[in-house]
Structure formats: structure tokens, C-alpha cells
Amino acid sequence: MKKLKTKKVTYTNPIFNNMTQEEITDYQEKLLKKQLKYVYRNSEFYRAKFKEIGIHPDEIRTLEDYYKLPVFLNKTIEREIQQQSIDKYDHPFGLHLCTSPDDIAFTGTTSGTSGNPTFTYTFTEEDLNFLNRYIAHMLDYGGINAGERLLFSHALGIYATSSILFGVRSHGVLPIDVDVRAGSQMILKYAQMTKPTAAMMTSSLTEHLIDKAPELIGMNVGDLGLQAIFTVGEIGIGIPEVKKKIEDAYGCRVYDYLGELGFSCDSDEYHGIHCVAPDLSLFPNDLIDPETKKPIEIYNGVIGELIITELNLKALPRIRYSSGDIVQVFTSECPGCGFKGKRIKFIGRSDDMLIIKGANVYPSAIKKVVSNFIPEVSGELRIVLDTPPPRVVPPLQVKIEYGADFDTHKLPELEARIKNELHTQVRVTPNIIWCPTGSLGKALTKTPIFEKNY
Ligand SMILES: [Zn+2]
């Protein structure tokens, strides 16, 4: 691909670019105090929560005071208070709603694959206008300008990703929104006809289209003319092999983003999501230990469960919301672009966490290390559990598929290298069970990481 000098990521709101980290913290503290008073005044749920813990928002003077509060919300509680608001007020948004339901301009849910969908992404017009600037900033950073077209292929409609379309339009970019359920052929056909300069898709779809394009539209994805791809929602391009494969095939940069909270930089190497929105959320300064739920001090490289607190949203702001996502936070300057703010990398989900000899181990971290050995391995693996997690009696049993063309005589040597990397990076020395390519199977939706034998 074309070699450019890496462009530095800046904060979306330029006032932060000249602030020190301490000044940014002070700024967030002011926003937090205002927001806590707002939610206390306007939401039945948050008011009850403060009363339950015996604290009034006025008593929270610093961010440190705030980080000590218990978790207020998670998916389970969200579902409960949604049901209560249906029963009590005839709307599904939950008792934490801070405006009238009449003021809602957009609502978006997660897929609802595990239980009822949650209307987590519910915004007023003012909220949308506030959020749009972050998406516009990211497109601008990726070199996408007004007047250009963007292939948008996610599940459309009631799903959260649809809210991103407001930001795309606000930047003067025309979305070509093809619902992912239309299938690869339709997606590629629209791309061929409308000549977008950018695309927003999951990284698995982006990868899938590489193989499908020659057969379905008679051309390579590299000839579509894309100049930037933005992926969301998966570890995806955090795996170097995946990032390189996509960039080589499409001949353009691929960025990873986390809604409005941030995006990865224009660098050959992946340096995580750059947190560009300190005025939107306390993310990622608020981490808890996934087991004890106690706050964790932030330092370069720390790993913990992400707590979300939205500082400026009006309709359904999340306050001390436990996301279940385990992230690693970097406070050092980005080695790729020089961004001075915080960066994060996804490590896994708290519900997948294993505890081996007292240490927290995340399956996705194991998968990431093993993926670095593609094509010697296929990338598919299963962690075999004989007893219910999280505690595992060592050694951890891991089934790994060797690559299709791999000479099995060399397995002992490959095994030693993989074990060495897992020991260095994840601090686990597993027992590897080798399997032929394709024998573990790959699900079309979400491939399981565990093989449960209990
Ligand atoms: Zn960077």
C-alpha cells in the first residue's frame, strides 16, 4: 500500500489538545458533578441508587470519590429497569431515562442474542448532534471528505450501529447503507456501482469479501477504490495478521473504532483505540477488578473491567455502567503517531475470564497470541474446560488447529515457540492438543472459544 507519514491523532474537541492530563481530569470532574446532579434530578433509578448507597451527588467532590462508588448498572439491571418502565410508564427505555420519551430522536439496541434487547443507545436530538462530531472527526482523520460516499454494511434499523449514520451524514458524506443481511453479493454490487471511498463494516465481513469478490463481481476488492475502512465491534484488526491481510487486499488503511469514544491511528502497527473524547465519557479512567469489583489504579499497561460514565448525554446517560469488557489501558505516548492521550486494547469479556494459579487469564488474549502463528496454525482453537470456570486447575488444555500445509513433523518445534510466546505474553503454559485444519469447525456467527466437558 501507499506509504504515508503517520498522521497524529488529536482530541475531537480541540480544547483538549493544549491541556495536560491533570487539566483534562479537572475538566472531567466538573462535567461529572454537573451530570450527577442532572441524573439525580431527572431519573427515578439514579435517585434511588444514590439513596440506596446513602450518598448525595453533592458529596462527590473528586473523581477518586466517584470511582469508589459501587457499580450502578449492567446489562442485567438494564433489562430489569426496562421491564419496570414498560409496566409503569408504557415505554421500554428504562427507569434511568432522564428526559420525556417524547424527546427521543433515536433509539438503538444491541443484537439481543442473550435475552431481551437493551435500548442502551437512546438519544435526544441534542445528544445526536453532540455525538456526530466524533464520527465526523474520525472520517476526517481517515481522509474522507464531504461529497464522498461510504459503504455502510451493518445490521440496520433498530441496531446501535445505525446511529453512526447520523455522524456520517453530518460530515457531508453519503452513506450507501446496505443491510449486512442482504448478503455479500448485494454488498459488493452496491460498492461496484456507487464507488465509495470509505467503508464501515465488521472486520470479519471485510475479510470475507476479500475471498468472495472475484467470484461474485469478477474483481478484486483492491480495485473497488476504497481509501479507508472503519471496523467496529470485534478484536479483528487488533490481530496483526488480520490488519495486514485487509490492508494488503484493499490497498488502504483499516481503522478500528469504538463508537464515538475513539479510533486507531494511521500506522502499520496497531496501537489500540485512541481515546479522543474525554468530554463524552470517563472512559477509560475508571477500571475495576473483574473479580472483586474494586477500583484499580490506572498505569501504563494496566488491565481491568471497563466502567462507563457518560458525561454529556441527556436521554439515557450510563452512569457507573459495567460493560463486561476487559481492556488494557496505555498511558504512554502512542509510538505510532505521538498521540498523548490514553489508548486501549480489548482483552476479552469478564464472563470469559479464567483464573489460573490466582492470575486472570483471558481466552481472547490466548487466541491473539496463537493467531500470530498463522499460517503455521489455522487460527481456530478451543480451550477445554473439565470443570465450570473461572477457576482452572493447571495446566490449561488448549486444542489448536495446525495450518493446512503444515508439515506435522515440525509440530514439537512449533509447540515450543507457541508455549514460549503464551508464557511471555499471557503468563500461561498450556498443554497443547493438536488438531487438523477444519476439525474444530467455525460457526457463521460467533465461534465458541470453550469446549465444555462438564
Ligand atoms: Zn497512534
Side-chain angles (χ1 to χ4, degrees):
M1 63 182 283
K2 204 163 52 167
K3 279 277 172 203
L4 296 167
K5 191 175 178 296
T6 304
K7 199 174 142 195
K8 183 177 173 177
V9 172
T10 54
Y11 289 105
T12 300
N13 184 341
I15 61 160
F16 294 118
N17 292 325
N18 299 316
M19 283 190 191
T20 61
Q21 288 301 313
E22 288 72 31
E23 286 166 335
I24 292 176
T25 305
D26 287 348
Y27 190 97
Q28 289 186 306
E29 210 164 79
K30 285 194 189 85
L31 289 179
L32 174 72
K33 287 184 195 170
K34 205 172 137 206
Q35 183 73 328
L36 294 182
K37 284 182 188 127
Y38 170 79
V39 302
Y40 186 86
R41 216 171 39 239
N42 293 293
S43 136
E44 182 175 331
F45 171 76
Y46 286 128
R47 200 160 45 239
K49 207 74 206 174
F50 275 106
K51 286 187 175 155
E52 184 187 312
I53 56 171
I55 287 179
H56 188 275
D58 287 346
E59 293 171 71
I60 294 164
R61 299 210 158 75
T62 65
L63 289 174
E64 297 312 315
D65 290 347
Y66 178 72
Y67 296 150
K68 286 183 196 132
L69 300 184
V71 165
F72 282 10
L73 262 177
N74 57 30
K75 280 260 173 262
T76 313
I77 302 172
E78 212 179 354
R79 287 197 179 96
E80 283 167 19
I81 58 178
Q82 281 186 181
Q83 189 54 49
Q84 288 165 17
S85 77
I86 292 172
D87 298 341
K88 211 167 160 184
Y89 301 113
D90 244 359
H91 75 72
F93 305 109
L95 297 181
H96 53 321
L97 184 67
C98 294
T99 61
S100 151
D102 301 347
D103 294 329
I104 295 170
F106 173 87
T107 188
T109 71
T110 50
S111 58
T113 42
S114 50
N116 276 339
T118 50
F119 294 86
T120 312
Y121 307 94
T122 293
F123 307 119
T124 63
E125 192 73 44
E126 195 187 337
D127 289 339
L128 283 172
N129 290 335
F130 182 79
L131 293 168
N132 287 348
R133 72 187 77 178
Y134 299 100
I135 300 301
H137 172 214
M138 176 176 75
L139 294 177
D140 185 58
Y141 180 78
I144 306 305
N145 302 308
E148 298 182 17
R149 289 179 287 276
L150 179 147
L151 177 72
F152 187 93
S153 201
H154 288 287
L156 294 170
I158 192 72
Y159 302 109
T161 35
S162 297
S163 71
I164 303 292
L165 289 168
F166 292 92
V168 173
R169 292 196 177 95
S170 80
H171 190 53
V173 168
L174 176 67
I176 306 298
D177 34 348
V178 192
D179 193 305
V180 68
R181 290 162 292 193
S184 305
Q185 181 153 25
M186 201 56 101
I187 294 165
L188 286 164
K189 191 105 208 135
Y190 273 108
Q192 200 178 24
M193 289 171 73
T194 59
K195 302 194 179 349
T197 51
M200 284 179 157
M201 308 182 279
T202 60
S203 68
S204 359
L205 178 62
T206 314
E207 264 193 274
H208 182 69
L209 296 182
I210 297 173
D211 302 331
K212 288 286 167 189
E215 159 198 341
L216 296 175
I217 53 164
M219 65 196 278
N220 290 316
V221 288
D223 298 321
L224 289 172
L226 292 174
Q227 289 162 31
I229 300 171
F230 302 91
T231 62
V232 68
E234 294 172 313
I235 300 235
I237 71 157
I239 298 168
E241 290 295 332
V242 174
K243 179 165 161 22
K244 191 173 181 320
K245 181 182 169 190
I246 292 174
E247 293 187 342
D248 287 349
Y250 287 83
C252 70
R253 183 65 80 204
V254 58
Y255 303 91
D256 178 28
Y257 71 105
L258 183 63
E260 290 78 7
L261 292 166
F263 50 87
S264 63
C265 67
D266 174 20
S267 168
D268 287 338
E269 213 183 311
Y270 181 74
H271 296 295
I273 302 273
H274 295 44
C275 306
V276 299
D279 44 354
L280 169 58
S281 173
L282 286 184
F283 155 96
N285 301 321
D286 195 358
L287 294 184
I288 58 169
D289 181 305
E291 224 199 338
T292 64
K293 306 287 173 194
K294 295 272 179 259
I296 298 181
E297 197 196 326
I298 305 291
Y299 55 87
N300 193 40
V302 67
I303 292 177
E305 182 175 339
L306 200 58
I307 297 295
I308 291 176
T309 296
E310 288 162 330
L311 298 171
N312 254 313
L313 299 181
K314 293 282 177 276
L316 210 54
R318 285 177 287 173
I319 303 293
R320 285 207 77 70
Y321 180 97
S322 153
S323 66
D325 285 317
I326 306 293
V327 298
Q328 183 168 27
V329 176
F330 298 89
T331 55
S332 60
E333 188 176 309
C334 173
C337 75
F339 177 65
K340 289 195 170 60
K342 296 190 175 75
R343 291 170 291 119
I344 65 136
K345 289 183 182 174
F346 278 95
I347 301 291
R349 299 269 318 154
S350 61
D351 26 5
D352 285 347
M353 185 182 78
L354 302 174
I355 302 170
I356 306 171
K357 285 198 277 189
N360 298 347
V361 174
Y362 299 96
S364 46
I366 294 176
K367 191 175 164 81
K368 207 168 145 184
V369 170
V370 173
S371 298
N372 286 335
F373 290 88
I374 298 172
E376 293 172 290
V377 300
S378 76
E380 280 306 314
L381 62 84
R382 295 289 184 280
I383 291 169
V384 184
L385 299 178
D386 292 324
T387 52
R391 290 189 194 277
V392 173
V393 180
L396 183 71
Q397 309 284 331
V398 184
K399 287 186 175 174
I400 301 177
E401 284 186 0
Y402 48 81
D405 301 320
F406 192 74
D407 174 4
T408 49
H409 291 103
K410 294 181 183 163
L411 279 177
E413 184 268 335
L414 174 63
E415 181 167 325
R417 279 188 288 133
I418 293 179
K419 278 186 174 172
N420 186 39
E421 275 306 299
L422 284 171
H423 180 73
T424 318
Q425 296 193 38
V426 197
R427 290 190 198 92
V428 64
T429 309
N431 179 26
I432 296 176
I433 305 155
W434 288 106
C435 304
T437 308
S439 63
L440 294 178
K442 193 174 171 66
L444 281 174
T445 48
K446 204 178 168 200
T447 310
I449 192 107
F450 295 124
E451 181 181 306
K452 296 174 181 173
N453 296 333
Y454 52 88

